[in-house]
């Protein structure tokens, strides 16, 4: 059987179709909000929110075991959404206050999130093994219901992130000016935090909470190497995100590798290659051009070798 | 009410320090007012408190007759343009000059670039002599060019009141010339302008009124004050690069009104 037949066999499996589709929409959606986070120097926000979301997963599990829900983790995603949104708003409040203790407050939130999750899951009668799927992704077990929820959430993320592009760019680029225009800066900041939290929970399925941030940030880091406008950076990052998610997942159909980690490693490899190749690409243009042609020279210098 | 700005007994505290106290000031329509003072005298804080960027702890400031302190939502934000002291360049993500200028079209009610906004943005960049740099990423522009982008971002709003915080600090000569010419145009169009300045420099002939702050209080309000001893002698050479007395003659030539976007 050659590779093509194998690929066709893979693609005709409903389970693999579902996971491919989930990887595609998450790959498209995650870099949208990642672009704003990089712009505001909050690249690690996704990480922090991911940690907090773990407590939410465990809380959902606990509620599920109390109410005798079937399956046990019926409320886990809901719990993750609630905890992630609360965590993201808390981080935004700490950030906007600009207190020096903000750094420590964030650290407390991160570690509290992970530790809280592990403690609560044991109270709920689960083990750390139950958390593994949330920590490292669980694309293989995605159901049709999960897929629909993933698509709906990704659609919301893209609608807000792309639809309100100019306003969200304005507050991320120069917050002080944005306030002077009358824009409701606080509302927009919280909107970014909430959409980031949704992105974390929707990406949890694909790469897991520990690697969520990579899916939001690495495609943006790749895109900004080759673009010169905000708009193009966002759309390039979306394309890169979708491509690495799908290709990374397809690789794991043939090699027994963990999908989430494979996707992230692939993305980082792409970054390394693009960063290495970029100087070669831009060598031809730009180098010779005077960046400030409207500036007159300040002093006259004789041609090469002024010193005798 | 014809006063665009009216400040009554304004007090601003930041932490435990009193930055401004007992400030009374009115600026009428069409006035061009320079706000002068030494470093730390509270010039920037006064301008920022007018815009509600710094909390007012006593007294009040009104823009277009509306209180900044209690009626912030009712202020006609589209009529106000602001140029911050150091325009934020932003971080990793590249953004073009035009993208940054287009954010100036937003206000409390409008969260999108309106129809025809792009053309307005380009015209605003043209008015600061950066029409050819519209698609250049901001981080590739010089400090002076970035300052001009920030001015274009305020002008694209077509404001009736323009507030600028040290627009001349540390900028190159083309930017000073562009700015002096722009200011003349704005003046001829009857736009009210407030400028925080360290020193009048090349725009001296365009200023009719100066407000001088000293230790958070108004020390002078009227014509151009005489320089302090040691600051106005004919042979006085400023060590700072941003003053440039010797360039004044060139700048005057450049002061010819041009139409704005």
């Amino acid at each position: 059987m050659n590779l093509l037949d194998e690929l066709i066999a893979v693609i005709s499996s409903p389970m693999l179709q579902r996971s491919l589709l989930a990887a595609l929409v998450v790959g498209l959606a995650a870099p949208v909000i990642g672009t704003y986070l990089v712009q505001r120097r909050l690249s690690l926000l996704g990480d922090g929110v991911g940690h907090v979301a773990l407590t939410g997963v465990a809380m959902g599990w606990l509620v599920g075991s109390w109410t005798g829900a079937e399956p046990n983790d019926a409320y886990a995603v809901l719990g993750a959404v609630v905890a992630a949104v609360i965590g993201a708003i808390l981080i935004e409040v700490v950030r906007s206050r600009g207190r020096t203790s903000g750094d420590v407050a964030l650290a407390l939130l991160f570690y509290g999130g992970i530790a809280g999750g592990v403690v609560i899951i044991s109270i709920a009668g689960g083990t750390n093994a139950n958390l593994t799927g949330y920590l490292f992704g669980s694309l293989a077990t995605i159901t049709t219901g999960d897929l629909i929820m993933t698509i709906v959430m990704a659609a919301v993320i893209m609608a807000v992130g792309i639809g309100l592009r100019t306003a969200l760019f304005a507050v991320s680029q120069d917050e002080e000016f944005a306030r002077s225009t009358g824009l409701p800066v606080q509302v927009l900041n919280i909107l970014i935090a909430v959409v980031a939290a949704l992105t974390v929970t929707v990406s949890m399925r694909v790469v897991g909470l520990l690697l969520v941030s990579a899916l939001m940030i690495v495609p943006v880091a790749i895109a900004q190497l080759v673009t010169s406008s905000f708009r193009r950076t966002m759309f390039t990052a979306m394309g890169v995100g979708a491509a690495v998610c799908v290709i990374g997942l397809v690789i794991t159909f043939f090699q027994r590798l963990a999908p989430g980690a494979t996707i992230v490693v692939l993305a980082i490899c792409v970054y390394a290659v693009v960063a290495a190749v970029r100087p070669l690409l831009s060598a031809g243009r730009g180098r010779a051009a005077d960046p400030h042609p409207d500036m007159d020279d300040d002093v006259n210098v004789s041609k090469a070798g002024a010193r005798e | 009410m014809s006063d665009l700005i009216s400040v009554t007994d304004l007090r601003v505290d930041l932490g435990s320090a009193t930055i401004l106290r007992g400030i009374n000031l009115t600026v009428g329509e069409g006035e061009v007012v320079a706000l002068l003072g030494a470093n730390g005298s509270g010039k920037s804080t006064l301008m920022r408190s007018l815009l509600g960027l710094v909390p007012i702890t006593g007294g009040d400031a009104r823009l277009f007759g509306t209180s900044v302190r209690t009626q912030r939502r009712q202020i006609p934000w589209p009529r106000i343009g602001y140029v911050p002291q150091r325009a934020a360049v932003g971080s990793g993500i590249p953004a073009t000059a035009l993208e940054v200028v287009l954010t100036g079209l937003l206000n409390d009610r409008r969260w999108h670039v309106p129809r025809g906004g792009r053309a307005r943005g380009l015209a605003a960049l043209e008015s600061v002599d950066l029409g050819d740099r519209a698609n250049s990423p901001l981080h590739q522009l010089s400090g002076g060019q970035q300052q001009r982008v920030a001015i274009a971002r305020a002008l694209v709003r077509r404001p009736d009141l323009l507030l600028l915080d040290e627009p001349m600090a540390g900028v190159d000569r083309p930017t000073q010339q562009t700015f002096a010419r722009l200011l003349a145009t704005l003046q001829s169009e009857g736009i009210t302008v407030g400028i925080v300045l360290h020193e009048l420099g090349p725009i001296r002939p365009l200023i009719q009124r100066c407000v001088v702050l000293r230790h958070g209080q108004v020390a002078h309000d009227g014509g151009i004050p005489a320089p302090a001893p040691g600051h106005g002698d004919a042979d006085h050479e400023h060590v700072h690069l941003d003053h440039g007395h010797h360039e004044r003659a060139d700048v005057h030539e450049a002061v010819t009104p041009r139409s704005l976007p």
Side-chain angles (χ1 to χ4, degrees), chain A residues 34-41 163-170 172-177 179-184 187-188 191 220 223-224 227-234 290-296, chain B residues 48 51-54 72 77-78 80 82 84 87-96 99-100 102-104 106-108 110-113 133 135-138 140-142 145 148 153-154 157 172-174:
Chain A
T35 314
Y36 299 110
L37 296 185
V38 174
Q39 181 81 357
R40 350 179 66 186
R41 299 177 186 277
L164 292 177
R165 196 174 61 228
T166 313
L168 298 179
F169 169 69
S172 305
Q173 206 265 339
D174 188 344
E175 191 167 321
E176 172 135 325
F177 175 78
R179 281 170 69 191
S180 82
T181 64
L183 276 174
V187 172
L188 292 168
L191 191 63
V220 179
Q224 70 176 15
T227 54
S228 60
S229 78
F230 187 82
R231 193 184 114 98
R232 213 170 280 171
T233 304
M234 180 182 280
D290 181 354
H292 305 297
D294 48 340
M295 280 302 285
D296 299 327
Chain B
R48 296 177 71 231
L51 292 159
L53 301 173
V54 190
R72 197 172 192 278
W77 293 108
I80 302 166
Y82 173 51
V89 176
S91 55
I93 306 286
T96 63
E99 282 181 314
V100 172
L102 290 181
T103 63
L106 307 183
N107 56 53
D108 45 341
R110 190 162 66 201
W111 294 15
H112 293 100
V113 176
R133 305 312 294 265
N135 294 315
S136 299
L138 200 61
Q140 282 180 13
L141 302 182
S142 71
Q145 289 171 328
R148 282 188 266 164
R153 181 177 63 176
R157 302 172 72 75
D172 49 40
R173 214 166 94 185

Side-chain angles (χ1 to χ4, degrees), chain A residues 96-171:
Chain A
S96 65
R97 292 280 161 84
R99 296 277 165 83
T100 42
S101 59
D103 184 39
V104 176
L106 292 186
L108 291 175
L109 206 59
F110 292 8
Y111 309 135
I114 284 275
V118 174
V119 167
I120 292 170
I121 199 80
S122 43
I123 294 173
T127 63
N128 289 353
N130 296 126
L131 290 180
T132 309
Y134 296 97
L135 285 174
F136 296 105
S138 52
L139 262 181
T141 59
I142 199 162
T143 64
T144 309
D146 292 337
L147 181 62
I148 290 170
M149 186 161 162
T150 301
I151 291 173
V152 169
M153 279 168 74
V156 170
I157 292 162
M158 288 193 273
V160 174
I162 298 172
L164 292 177
R165 196 174 61 228
T166 313
L168 298 179
F169 169 69
V171 297

Side-chain angles (χ1 to χ4, degrees), chain B residues 144-166:
Chain B
Q145 289 171 328
Q146 288 177 6
Q147 188 69 43
R148 282 188 266 164
V149 170
I151 293 170
R153 181 177 63 176
L155 289 179
V156 78
R157 302 172 72 75
R158 293 176 182 151
D160 296 319
L161 172 63
L162 184 63
L163 296 173
L164 306 107
D165 197 348
E166 300 238 20

